[in-house]
Amino acid sequence: MTATEVLGTRGGPRGRERARVVVLGGGYGGQLAAQSLARRTDAAVTLVNDGDRFVQRVRLHQLATGQPVEAPRFTDLLAGTGVRFVDDRVLGLDPVAHRVALRDGGSLDYDVVVLALGSHAAVPEHAYDVTTAAGAAELAARLDRGCRRLAVVGAGLTGLETATELAESHPATATTLVTAGALDDDLSAKGVAHVRRVVARLGIRVVEHAEVRAVHPGGLTLADGTEEAADVVVWTGGLVVPDLAARAGLAVDAHGRVLVDAALRSTSHPDVVAVGDVAAAVASNGDVVRMACATTIPAAQQGARTVAAVLAGREPGAFRYRYAIRCVSLGRRDGLVQVVHTDDRPRELVLTGRAAARVKEAIVRGTLWVQTHPRIPASA
Ligand SMILES: Cc1cc2nc3c(=O)[nH]c(=O)nc-3n(C[C@H](O)[C@H](O)[C@H](O)COP(=O)(O)OP(=O)(O)OC[C@H]3O[C@@H](n4cnc5c(N)ncnc54)[C@H](O)[C@@H]3O)c2cc1C
């Protein structure tokens, strides 16, 4: 059954004056999809987010150091678009009744729903989080009270950005970066050489090939029994998605990400479109895309194109994502732009230092700017 058929059977554009599109989650994916849909369709678009401000998640490691980070109100971002904003927590989705249950006890009916609830780190007890605004603010407050030894667990891009940002802004704190893999796991030789230079300059001790067995108030216990003393442990590994899709009975992968077709429709419930971290969208290399703002923004644009096409009774196009670069901030004054092949393998082509930091900053500004300047190509 296609989403068009579902809409046809439930009314929507044919049976009702305006189709109802409900977008769940106002992050990089959901806010942009809602904006795009309001501008390109005449559907009644509702955006639901738990919190009335847009969180620039790619700056949360900056928030954790106490830097001011702009958090615009949704009512300002959406002013003039016609999108209705609902500040509430989504508790459940009934894809048969086409209904979303909210924490305040109310519900929203939809013809098409866009799932964009993002992800968060599975943070163990006694560790701090930088993947939510509340977690980053709590970490900033804790560091303000003083910290002699800090351990950051996970050396993916978030871990690297967090460790370097914190070490740069807290030079008197002894910072350790603990990773199950190695710093060079995902970077070219030139890229990793630069990261190692910056990490050394910032005085960060790196513990590689070390699985963390437990976090406790005094630090970490590694799988080989080694103790790593730390007053504060920051956990950046193991991103998980909300279990809402699985609970709703949507087809999901082993990580709970919504299985989607080429147009980003749920394979089990085609009137559910999923974008961003919550979706198991496939890149042109055949793999599920990385959880990233870089992949979420084009997915949100495709998700909006898909909904617009379905509402117009057209077959939607396909999400085509090719990787180009990976951008990593290494504190405020340094960075790494790692050029990658279209399948995300690193090339021996990098930009480093202040120039890379400037490129990264420009891209991060762009991720906020695009939120009020959505584009859907006319061919969509
Ligand atoms: C510190 C850090 C740095 C990063 N740096 C980069 C980077 O440099 N480049 C890059 O490409 N990616 C980066 N990322 C990853 C990037 O932030 C995510 O991939 C991106 O935010 C995913 O977008 P999204 O719309 O899927 O989810 P989000 O942006 O997380 O938005 C999800 C929204 O849904 C809301 N929500 C969740 N559950 C509910 C509910 N039940 N009810 C109502 N609302 C709900 C949340 O409040 C949130 O507003 C970084 C992540 C972190 C944590």
Side-chain angles (χ1 to χ4, degrees), residues 194-273:
H194 183 68
V195 168
R196 286 191 190 280
R197 265 195 304 276
V198 176
V199 160
R201 172 170 57 74
L202 292 171
I204 299 172
R205 186 168 70 92
V206 182
V207 180
E208 293 168 286
H209 308 293
E211 291 275 356
V212 175
R213 189 200 298 156
V215 182
H216 48 79
L220 302 168
T221 308
L222 304 181
D224 65 3
T226 309
E227 292 291 330
E228 283 289 337
D231 311 317
V232 173
V233 174
V234 183
W235 194 271
T236 71
L239 286 179
V240 293
V241 300
D243 65 355
L244 182 124
R247 278 193 286 113
L250 303 185
V252 296
D253 69 7
H255 306 287
R257 298 173 82 176
V258 180
L259 293 174
V260 290
D261 67 10
L264 306 182
R265 291 172 294 194
S266 154
T267 54
S268 59
H269 296 79
D271 39 13
V272 178
V273 171

Side-chain angles (χ1 to χ4, degrees), residues 36-369:
S36 304
L37 282 163
R39 288 170 193 233
R40 302 296 170 132
T41 72
D42 60 3
V45 181
T46 303
L47 174 65
V48 188
N49 191 71
D50 192 5
D52 66 345
R53 287 176 182 270
F54 179 82
V55 171
Q56 294 195 66
R57 211 169 160 217
V58 300
R59 289 199 193 271
L60 287 183
H61 53 301
Q62 293 176 245
L63 193 68
T65 66
Q67 295 170 48
V69 172
E70 196 188 348
R73 285 186 195 283
F74 285 106
T75 44
D76 291 335
L77 287 176
L78 295 166
T81 63
V83 174
R84 175 178 163 228
F85 176 68
V86 175
D87 178 2
D88 208 335
R89 187 161 184 81
V90 177
L91 294 185
L93 172 71
D94 181 340
V96 177
H98 284 213
R99 185 158 298 151
V100 175
L102 303 176
R103 181 173 49 197
D104 77 353
S107 62
L108 294 167
D109 291 340
Y110 64 83
D111 296 303
V112 181
V113 68
V114 179
L115 267 192
L117 295 171
S119 63
H120 56 274
V123 180
E125 199 185 355
H126 307 301
Y128 286 82
D129 181 20
V130 284
T131 64
T132 63
E138 201 184 327
L139 173 59
R142 172 63 189 85
L143 293 174
D144 266 358
R145 296 199 296 276
C147 168
R148 280 193 311 126
R149 290 161 308 191
L150 167 75
V152 176
V153 181
L157 300 189
T158 303
L160 267 182
E161 291 196 329
T162 302
T164 49
E165 196 84 34
L166 293 177
E168 184 182 80
S169 59
H170 296 275
T173 300
T175 301
T176 302
L177 180 59
V178 181
T179 173
L183 285 194
D184 41 3
D185 274 355
D186 229 12
L187 299 169
S188 66
K190 280 183 191 161
V192 80
H194 183 68
V195 168
R196 286 191 190 280
R197 265 195 304 276
V198 176
V199 160
R201 172 170 57 74
L202 292 171
I204 299 172
R205 186 168 70 92
V206 182
V207 180
E208 293 168 286
H209 308 293
E211 291 275 356
V212 175
R213 189 200 298 156
V215 182
H216 48 79
L220 302 168
T221 308
L222 304 181
D224 65 3
T226 309
E227 292 291 330
E228 283 289 337
D231 311 317
V232 173
V233 174
V234 183
W235 194 271
T236 71
L239 286 179
V240 293
V241 300
D243 65 355
L244 182 124
R247 278 193 286 113
L250 303 185
V252 296
D253 69 7
H255 306 287
R257 298 173 82 176
V258 180
L259 293 174
V260 290
D261 67 10
L264 306 182
R265 291 172 294 194
S266 154
T267 54
S268 59
H269 296 79
D271 39 13
V272 178
V273 171
V275 302
D277 287 358
V278 85
V282 176
S284 18
N285 64 356
D287 292 338
V288 171
V289 292
R290 261 191 292 129
M291 284 185 183
C293 198
T295 56
T296 293
I297 285 173
Q301 288 165 334
Q302 176 58 49
R305 284 198 291 269
T306 292
V307 176
V310 165
L311 295 181
R314 289 184 279 115
E315 193 51 37
F319 177 57
R320 292 201 176 80
Y321 187 81
R322 289 186 177 79
Y323 294 96
I325 52 172
R326 251 178 262 157
C327 282
V328 195
S329 67
L330 300 167
R332 287 301 88 202
R333 294 182 285 280
D334 212 320
L336 171 69
V337 178
Q338 171 71 67
V339 181
V340 298
H341 294 278
T342 54
D343 63 3
D344 207 24
R345 282 176 303 117
R347 299 173 58 185
E348 279 305 338
L349 198 55
V350 293
L351 181 68
T352 59
R354 280 188 189 270
R358 278 197 288 271
V359 169
K360 168 83 196 209
E361 176 58 25
I363 289 175
V364 168
R365 283 184 192 193
T367 63
L368 183 57
W369 180 86

Side-chain angles (χ1 to χ4, degrees), residues 2-20 42 111 309-314:
T2 68
T4 310
E5 284 161 352
V6 174
L7 277 173
T9 59
R10 288 191 45 79
R14 283 193 287 278
R16 191 180 301 110
E17 206 176 305
R18 292 173 81 198
R20 300 157 307 176
D42 60 3
D111 296 303
V310 165
L311 295 181
R314 289 184 279 115

